[in-house]
Amino acid sequence: MYEIDHSLLERIDKLELSERNKQWREEVRKAPWRVYADRERWTVASWKETEGEDLEIRRAKLLKKVMENVRIAIHPFDEIVGRPTVSVIGCQTAFDVCGDYVKDIWDESGVIGVTLDASATLSQEDLQVLREAATIFEPISLPAKTYKAWEELVGSWAVDAEAAKLKDPGLQDGITPQTTSTFIWDKILKIGLKGYIQECQEHLDRYIENRGTDINKIYFWKAAIMVLEATIDHAHRYAALAREMAEKETDAEEKARLIKIAETCEYVPENPPRTVHEALQAMEICSLAKMYENPQQNNSHWGRPDQYLYPFFKNDLANGVPLEQIASDIADLIGRWGTQTFVSGEVNKETHQINFGINNFMVGGLGQDHTDMSNELSYLMLHLVAKLKLSSPTVGLRWNHQTPDWLMNKAIRTNLETKGGIPLFQNDEITIEHYVKDGISYEEACEWRGLGCVYPSLPNHAEGYGSDGVAAFNLGGLMHVTLHNGIDINGKQTGLATGDPRDFKTFEEFYEAFFKQHEFLCHRIFWLGGIARDMRHECTRTPLISILSLPASMELGQDVVQSHPDYYMNGISDRAIIDAADCFTAVNNLIYKTHTLTWDELMEALDSNFEGERGEEIRQLCLHQPKYGNDIEEADLMVKRVSEDSAKVINSYDNSPYHGFIISREGLAWHYFGGLGAGALPDGRKALEPLNDGSLSPMRGEDTNGPTAVLRSACASGYSDICYSAVLNQKFSSSLLNSEENIDKLVAYTNAFMKSGGTHIQYNILDTAMLKDAKKHPENYQDLIVRIGGFSAYFVQLSEGIQDDVIYRSEFEF
């Protein structure tokens, strides 16, 4: 526990963004969507040059080639340098990782879709570069080889299941272990990359001296040294550019800025940084290298920056570095990492809606001595997030019983300024408790960090979430499959033939059929994921990500893409539990308890999407059944039952010798994607509409008994006993902005929920009328941020379906 300087907190409250922060922000707002072929030009060149060499070495040389040759730029507002492209916002592609994953490159128009609703135009020259990359890498890519292997085993089933939105992600999303996780920042900042190179060389020398016989270890350490040196050299390229610019500069202040950039990049990340500024510059260069190695889904997660940067922060202040300068540098990196983009595949566009990397950092939380570690830097980072008003990064506050009121108050004020669910509140104690129950030491568990939305990861375990085509499966889609005897939304037999529901004599027969489908789908996904896991190292390697993100890689001499049972973890998000439970409640009441409807009547209404007068009448009957989120025992217990039985299916899968799948129920914009896999459902939802948002949120508009009723339902769900995290969204009127009393009420409300066992909560502070106007007049609301599932986005960049989803969520007041 830190001793807090409350006068410093008061100084932080008075800070505004620096002029260069403001200048950067204006440039970002004006920047068009840009896609660059720069990286792919050099991946192709390297691949041709290294034909026949070992894959680990080839991938190291590929990264080296890219970092030696991609164009770089220093902008007038930069004091920290380094971006994936020469523009302030730009996308690189990942054909060498994903294969031929951007189908738009074969269209002569040159228009590339970067989100569901936004696009960029490429020159014919750049198109040819990307087409050559796609042609070369597609046959040898992990997706192509894995889908072929799956086809040998299950025919077209895997492709059909993905097309029916029953599972995600697709392998074309390009996720490999640790690409969505964080680097070991505390060690990088302690020893610098030079220290890592020395360790690699020592391991290499010792192994050869001891006559080790696994040549792959030798290749790995050599590859690691190569990419670490390439990262240092990339920083030196910026230093050289800065000195070149300084020589031509006549303005003394501008010349001094450029010389400082040069001196900093000549020193870090090669050496351990001495100041906040140097630490942030080292982090940016290392993050760039990570992105260049695998641009797809490669987010620059911070982990716990208020812990590992705190000594630099306090030392800078003690040495007279102005607080304003420190704040400006931190705001720079928050903004830079919050506007990092990539060219995503089709599935990712539907599950995410946006193409900003969902970067994540956390503040507060328990430490090694079991005390809360919130400090002045935690407070400063929240303050800067509020001032920047960006949709990303995702910011999480690790709540525990010791979380101080001053930090909670600042977090709520930050939420009021950003409006769109920033920060989120995640129960630190529940996450740590789950890890400890699963055999992780407290010492490691308390250092957990978020990746993406709310998914937790560990510092000493490689995170494989999503990397094997395993991240989420769709209980809403499963409900559709069960209602149609194993036939999915596209008319394919992806499920089991569990029977026509018209023949189910009891509710339990229907319920049992659903869970037969669940076990079949879930266990098949896990099995196929295991095949992808064991094939992965034959297709790609990531020596830089390995050496800087997983301590065991150094000791093992092994790339993280070749998973080691002692250090590999993976998770699953069993989504749409609320939808499934509300459907079960409706069927049980309407067909089996009250006999209001027959299965024939219900199925006719569902298959017609509730068309006609009778269809709408049946829909209203479905809508008016007890719904989760209203503190109704019948509905809440059904959610608890489905949640527990889903977990039993997951936990029954034998994943040995690897750790079992952890359950973390995420957010994203997955409910849009998942909704495309389900026709009309017995809860009254129409075909293809989004499912319930988050994973613990009530269906939009169905929580009619007020906000505290939602919290009681959430606590009754039993999620906290089962999953590491679960996303609960709530929308409050902007009247919350009106008084200190309401801020205190929202702090108390949040504390009460967490103390009652809540795993997570986040708030949209938005008026429905304003959202409707933003949909009509997007030009007036370019900066309006909303919380979607587990992340935030600009409202005007979202699909119409998700816009309506946010608009029609219940709006509460105190």
Side-chain angles (χ1 to χ4, degrees):
M1 183 177 290
Y2 299 106
E3 184 176 339
I4 302 303
D5 180 354
H6 286 273
S7 66
L8 179 55
L9 302 185
E10 293 175 4
R11 290 172 60 197
I12 289 171
D13 281 333
K14 297 174 183 176
L15 286 175
E16 297 294 335
L17 292 179
S18 69
E19 287 306 310
R20 68 183 177 90
N21 292 154
K22 292 176 183 176
Q23 187 181 356
W24 166 83
R25 192 171 60 175
E26 285 307 307
E27 290 299 317
V28 168
R29 285 174 173 168
K30 294 186 295 185
W33 292 104
R34 295 287 300 275
V35 175
Y36 288 83
D38 209 16
R39 175 183 177 275
E40 231 54 272
R41 180 175 283 107
W42 301 109
T43 65
V44 168
S46 176
W47 206 251
K48 290 177 179 178
E49 293 168 358
T50 60
E51 187 173 355
E53 296 187 42
D54 174 79
L55 181 58
E56 194 83 50
I57 299 296
R58 291 191 83 179
R59 291 297 305 183
K61 288 185 176 180
L62 183 150
L63 177 58
K64 183 174 186 291
K65 187 82 169 181
V66 168
M67 296 185 76
E68 285 175 343
N69 290 284
V70 290
R71 289 172 293 167
I72 62 174
I74 297 174
H75 297 271
F77 39 79
D78 286 345
E79 288 193 38
I80 295 169
V81 296
R83 287 186 174 80
T85 64
V86 290
S87 60
V88 290
I89 293 183
C91 308
Q92 299 279 14
T93 54
F95 292 96
D96 56 307
V97 177
C98 306
D100 186 9
Y101 78 110
V102 184
K103 302 308 177 187
D104 293 345
I105 64 170
W106 304 106
D107 186 334
E108 291 303 324
S109 70
V111 177
I112 305 294
V114 291
T115 71
L116 285 179
D117 298 309
S119 60
T121 302
L122 285 175
S123 68
Q124 285 300 310
E125 179 186 352
D126 284 349
L127 273 179
Q128 287 307 119
V129 171
L130 298 187
R131 287 170 180 173
E132 184 179 13
T135 302
I136 288 173
F137 290 112
E138 168 63 16
I140 58 174
S141 69
L142 176 62
K145 288 192 169 187
T146 305
Y147 281 120
K148 185 176 180 181
W150 287 352
E151 187 177 7
E152 291 289 331
L153 296 167
V154 295
S156 65
W157 185 89
V159 174
D160 292 342
E162 287 180 7
K165 320 300 184 187
L166 294 173
K167 61 152 310 252
D168 68 279
L171 293 172
Q172 297 92 341
D173 281 3
I175 304 172
T176 55
Q178 296 295 83
T179 52
T180 58
S181 195
T182 184
F183 275 171
I184 314 164
W185 292 121
D186 50 352
K187 182 178 178 181
I188 292 170
L189 300 181
K190 183 178 180 180
I191 69 172
L193 298 194
K194 184 167 63 176
Y196 273 92
I197 292 170
Q198 182 178 339
E199 281 190 34
C200 287
Q201 191 64 55
E202 288 171 355
H203 278 83
L204 180 59
D205 293 344
R206 191 181 309 119
Y207 193 73
I208 293 173
E209 183 181 343
N210 293 333
R211 297 181 180 178
T213 58
D214 187 352
I215 192 65
N216 293 306
K217 293 180 183 294
I218 292 172
Y219 287 149
F220 174 76
W221 286 311
K222 284 189 172 184
I225 291 170
M226 191 183 304
V227 294
L228 290 166
E229 289 176 342
T231 304
I232 293 170
D233 290 344
H234 194 66
H236 292 170
R237 286 186 66 199
Y238 278 99
L241 177 59
R243 289 203 180 278
E244 180 185 332
M245 294 170 67
E247 288 176 4
K248 301 174 183 176
E249 184 56 59
T250 57
D251 182 83
E253 186 177 340
E254 180 65 7
K255 183 183 285 286
R257 176 184 75 95
L258 292 166
I259 290 172
K260 180 182 178 182
I261 289 171
E263 291 173 345
T264 303
C265 290
E266 286 163 352
Y267 189 76
V268 295
E270 180 175 5
N271 300 290
R274 298 157 295 192
T275 64
V276 169
H277 179 82
E278 289 181 350
L280 296 174
Q281 182 63 79
M283 292 170 68
E284 173 58 17
I285 295 295
C286 291
S287 176
L288 266 182
K290 180 174 187 272
M291 191 284 303
Y292 283 134
E293 191 166 50
N294 179 358
Q296 194 70 349
Q297 295 283 346
N298 200 336
N299 304 327
S300 303
H301 290 298
W302 293 60
R304 302 183 74 186
D306 62 342
Q307 303 306 307
Y308 57 77
L309 289 176
Y310 189 65
F312 297 99
F313 175 67
K314 294 294 282 186
N315 190 59
D316 274 7
L317 291 175
N319 288 328
V321 179
L323 176 62
E324 292 77 7
Q325 180 180 322
I326 298 170
S328 182
D329 285 344
I330 294 174
D332 183 319
L333 206 60
I334 290 174
R336 191 176 305 227
W337 286 8
T339 52
Q340 182 174 298
T341 61
F342 58 95
V343 181
S344 58
E346 295 308 308
V347 172
N348 189 265
K349 289 175 185 176
E350 293 174 342
T351 57
H352 288 61
Q353 296 277 315
I354 57 161
N355 73 329
F356 287 112
I358 307 178
N359 300 295
N360 184 306
F361 74 78
M362 312 205 82
V363 297
L366 295 169
Q368 296 292 324
D369 63 355
H370 295 262
T371 63
D372 181 76
M373 303 301 288
S374 305
N375 57 47
E376 301 96 331
L377 185 53
S378 319
Y379 195 88
L380 174 60
M381 296 191 81
L382 289 176
H383 181 81
L384 295 173
V385 165
K387 293 297 179 184
L388 284 165
K389 292 183 173 61
L390 298 171
S391 66
S392 184
T394 293
V395 183
L397 187 147
R398 283 178 44 168
W399 182 96
N400 60 82
H401 278 80
Q402 302 172 51
T403 300
D405 288 342
W406 54 263
L407 189 64
M408 286 296 293
N409 187 278
K410 187 66 171 177
I412 294 299
R413 290 177 182 277
T414 301
N415 201 156
L416 293 176
E417 287 200 52
T418 59
K419 293 183 172 60
I422 304 172
L424 60 84
F425 300 87
Q426 202 157 347
N427 195 314
D428 197 31
E429 294 165 344
I430 287 175
T431 301
I432 293 171
E433 181 183 347
H434 275 294
Y435 274 128
V436 172
K437 283 181 180 178
D438 278 351
I440 303 298
S441 69
Y442 173 84
E443 289 70 26
E444 182 178 6
C446 75
E447 299 298 339
W448 73 273
R449 64 286 304 271
L451 62 86
C453 296
V454 298
Y455 188 89
S457 63
L458 294 170
N460 297 322
H461 284 76
E463 184 51 62
Y465 184 59
S467 64
D468 309 320
V470 177
F473 62 87
N474 182 355
L475 273 69
L478 273 183
M479 180 60 67
H480 178 97
V481 166
T482 306
L483 289 166
H484 295 87
N485 197 16
I487 304 296
D488 66 31
I489 190 70
N490 296 323
K492 298 290 184 69
Q493 184 80 43
T494 50
L496 298 173
T498 49
D500 188 319
R502 296 170 180 82
D503 297 328
F504 296 146
K505 304 302 181 187
T506 67
F507 171 75
E508 293 303 323
E509 288 182 44
F510 175 48
Y511 189 86
E512 183 181 346
F514 178 87
F515 275 95
K516 283 181 181 177
Q517 301 283 3
H518 188 311
E519 182 174 3
F520 171 74
L521 176 70
C522 174
H523 287 199
R524 180 169 276 205
I525 289 170
F526 289 165
W527 171 48
L528 296 179
I531 292 167
R533 177 195 63 219
D534 293 343
M535 289 181 60
R536 190 194 305 124
H537 71 283
E538 299 173 6
C539 305
T540 191
R541 304 291 172 86
T542 54
L544 183 93
I545 291 171
S546 302
I547 208 70
L548 293 184
S549 69
L550 182 67
S553 293
M554 179 74 79
E555 300 300 321
L556 294 170
Q558 181 173 306
D559 199 296
V560 292
V561 300
Q562 188 171 6
S563 303
H564 191 289
D566 293 343
Y567 301 101
Y568 186 68
M569 297 189 79
N570 205 337
I572 190 69
S573 186
D574 46 344
R575 294 294 302 274
I577 286 173
I578 305 303
D579 301 84
D582 282 349
C583 286
F584 279 130
T585 299
V587 167
N588 196 23
N589 284 338
L590 291 171
I591 294 179
Y592 294 105
K593 284 186 177 180
T594 66
H595 306 290
T596 303
L597 294 176
T598 65
W599 268 115
D600 273 327
E601 290 175 309
L602 179 59
M603 290 305 300
E604 184 178 344
L606 296 179
D607 290 341
S608 70
N609 199 21
F610 299 110
E611 283 187 2
E613 186 176 335
R614 179 56 174 161
E616 181 58 27
E617 181 183 343
I618 291 174
R619 180 168 181 260
Q620 291 303 315
L621 287 171
C622 294
L623 287 171
H624 286 86
Q625 297 311 299
K627 293 289 193 289
Y628 162 83
N630 294 290
D631 193 23
I632 300 172
E633 184 177 37
E634 177 187 4
D636 296 346
L637 287 180
M638 186 64 79
V639 169
K640 188 172 190 292
R641 182 182 179 186
V642 174
S643 169
E644 289 175 348
D645 287 342
S646 180
K648 287 176 185 175
V649 172
I650 293 167
N651 293 329
S652 70
Y653 184 79
D654 182 3
N655 199 42
S656 58
Y658 294 90
H659 191 282
F661 288 84
I662 74 168
I663 300 172
S664 180
R665 293 166 180 164
E666 284 246 79
L668 303 173
W670 182 94
H671 56 300
Y672 171 86
F673 166 86
L676 298 177
L681 294 177
D683 61 350
R685 170 197 156 277
K686 286 195 168 184
L688 308 183
E689 288 184 351
L691 300 166
N692 79 297
D693 74 83
S695 55
L696 195 50
S697 302
M699 182 52 107
R700 59 193 163 277
E702 296 300 324
D703 44 342
T704 57
N705 286 351
T708 55
V710 175
L711 298 197
R712 286 192 288 269
S713 289
C715 291
S717 71
Y719 271 39
S720 61
D721 297 327
I722 288 170
C723 57
Y724 283 69
S725 58
V727 174
L728 172 61
N729 285 301
Q730 288 198 301
K731 186 169 77 173
F732 282 95
S733 164
S734 59
S735 63
L736 280 177
L737 295 166
N738 294 341
S739 70
E740 292 291 324
E741 180 185 6
N742 278 345
I743 292 174
D744 291 340
K745 282 181 180 179
L746 195 51
V747 169
Y749 179 85
T750 308
N751 286 335
F753 177 55
M754 292 299 191
K755 288 176 181 177
S756 300
T759 59
H760 164 282
I761 197 166
Q762 56 201 15
Y763 306 111
N764 272 316
I765 313 295
L766 298 159
D767 294 326
T768 300
M770 178 178 65
L771 291 171
K772 289 181 177 179
D773 191 56
K775 186 180 176 183
K776 278 186 181 179
H777 305 288
E779 67 279 3
N780 298 330
Y781 296 90
Q782 293 297 303
D783 294 331
L784 178 62
I785 300 170
V786 296
R787 200 65 163 190
I788 308 305
F791 73 100
S792 300
Y794 296 108
F795 182 78
V796 297
Q797 293 180 3
L798 299 169
S799 66
E800 183 176 355
I802 286 294
Q803 287 182 335
D804 287 342
D805 172 72
V806 176
I807 288 171
Y808 294 109
R809 293 176 192 176
S810 296
E811 179 182 311
F812 297 125
E813 295 185 1
F814 281 131

